[in-house]
Amino acid sequence: MSSELDFRLDDFEPADADSEYAEQRFWAGDLTVLAEHHTTPNGSHSFVLAHDGSVTWGVPGEPQIRAIKVARDLNQNTFTFESTYHSTVSLAQNWLTERGCPPERISQVGDDFMKPADDLTARVEQKLRTSGDRYKVLDSYTSDFDPCETWTLTRDSIAAQAPIRVFLEEGDFDAHTYTMREGAFADEDAARHWLDDRSTALPQPPEYRGDAAVLRTRAALTRSAGASAIPKAGLDAPIAPSTGTAQRPSPGRSM
């Protein structure tokens, strides 16, 4: 992964007004590259996953993960430039793979960044990463302060029950890890009430109940922490929110 982001557009002209506007507003100095892929040997496409540090100083709660696709027409010497913001890395990876980036080239972030705390986090992220257009994002909020977390409010287009889903991402800077959990609600009002209140555990999705992997996770927690100290975390069990943040670097903090 390169230390400086360079799309090598000096000999190219924007193919349309949107691409020209996007390039003019682009500033690489704001970005910390998490993963990138440039096609070879002709270099016709570039895909970048990055954290935009400038968002921290902007409107509170705005998403900080940026996904960028640059496509170069080598015959016409023109390019198109697309860029979107996402609340979490796995959704940004989904956007990039849906636009032609090989999944294996963008699925892993650098070693300097936080790692999933458990198998459940990896499974939920993989679900989002490969979900296509299954989830419609309704709202999100990213917090760099206490509680440091990101939540994403979505509508699951294929859920038979409780179609409103909340993906809650929380991190532990001491352990250099983060968790991702999914909650399910009957409607948007119920989900927003939970996000505002937090007096109950995050409701588990109905389809997760009885999941064998979760039962194994619970057994491991029992052995390591004792039954009285087991946190309610798993695909078949609700979780209580905790403080922390996930894959976002923020001022004064090292990933």
Side-chain angles (χ1 to χ4, degrees):
M1 188 164 60
S2 61
S3 58
E4 294 186 7
L5 187 57
D6 182 4
F7 290 116
R8 303 182 299 280
L9 298 176
D10 291 345
D11 297 326
F12 292 82
E13 296 293 330
D16 50 49
D18 289 341
S19 296
E20 182 177 14
Y21 180 75
E23 186 202 17
Q24 289 174 348
R25 290 178 58 85
F26 177 75
W27 177 249
D30 293 333
L31 302 182
T32 300
V33 176
L34 307 181
E36 59 185 314
H37 172 63
H38 306 277
T39 57
T40 57
N42 59 17
S44 61
H45 289 76
S46 291
F47 303 90
V48 174
L49 175 71
H51 172 261
D52 189 340
S54 68
V55 179
T56 300
W57 311 110
V59 177
E62 290 295 293
Q64 300 180 2
I65 304 300
R66 190 169 184 179
I68 304 167
K69 175 189 174 182
V70 174
R72 306 172 193 83
D73 185 326
L74 303 179
N75 294 319
Q76 300 294 324
N77 276 39
T78 59
F79 69 88
T80 57
F81 194 115
E82 297 178 75
S83 178
T84 65
Y85 283 89
H86 301 267
S87 54
T88 188
V89 165
S90 49
L91 287 174
Q93 291 167 327
N94 176 65
W95 186 89
L96 290 166
T97 57
E98 285 294 294
R99 282 153 183 80
C101 183
E104 68 277 7
R105 299 293 186 181
I106 209 75
S107 62
Q108 300 295 322
V109 300
D111 293 336
D112 292 339
F113 297 90
M114 284 185 174
K115 303 302 179 185
D118 49 32
D119 289 342
L120 178 54
T121 295
R123 291 175 63 196
V124 174
E125 285 195 304
Q126 179 65 7
K127 180 180 179 180
L128 286 174
R129 192 178 295 122
T130 59
S131 62
D133 60 358
R134 173 177 175 176
Y135 297 101
K136 178 183 178 181
V137 175
L138 305 175
D139 199 3
S140 70
Y141 194 89
T142 297
S143 172
D144 286 324
F145 303 98
D146 189 18
C148 295
E149 65 179 28
T150 291
W151 55 258
T152 308
L153 180 66
T154 72
R155 181 181 297 277
D156 185 346
S157 63
I158 69 171
Q161 302 178 54
I164 301 301
R165 301 299 169 95
V166 170
F167 293 92
L168 181 65
E169 185 179 296
E170 303 171 294
D172 183 339
F173 278 97
D174 293 332
H176 206 60
T177 60
Y178 65 94
T179 61
M180 174 77 83
R181 299 293 186 257
E182 179 182 1
F185 299 86
D187 54 52
E188 189 175 338
D189 287 343
R192 290 188 182 277
H193 175 75
W194 185 88
L195 288 167
D196 290 338
D197 182 65
R198 307 292 183 99
S199 62
T200 60
L202 184 65
Q204 77 276 21
E207 64 270 22
Y208 287 175
R209 293 169 188 157
D211 188 283
V214 173
L215 297 179
R216 291 194 296 270
T217 299
R218 279 188 160 184
L221 288 169
T222 302
R223 290 192 297 270
S224 63
S228 62
I230 299 175
K232 293 181 179 179
L235 285 174
D236 70 336
I239 63 166
S242 62
T243 59
T245 191
Q247 293 160 305
R248 308 174 303 279
S250 57
R253 289 174 173 168
S254 172
M255 297 302 293

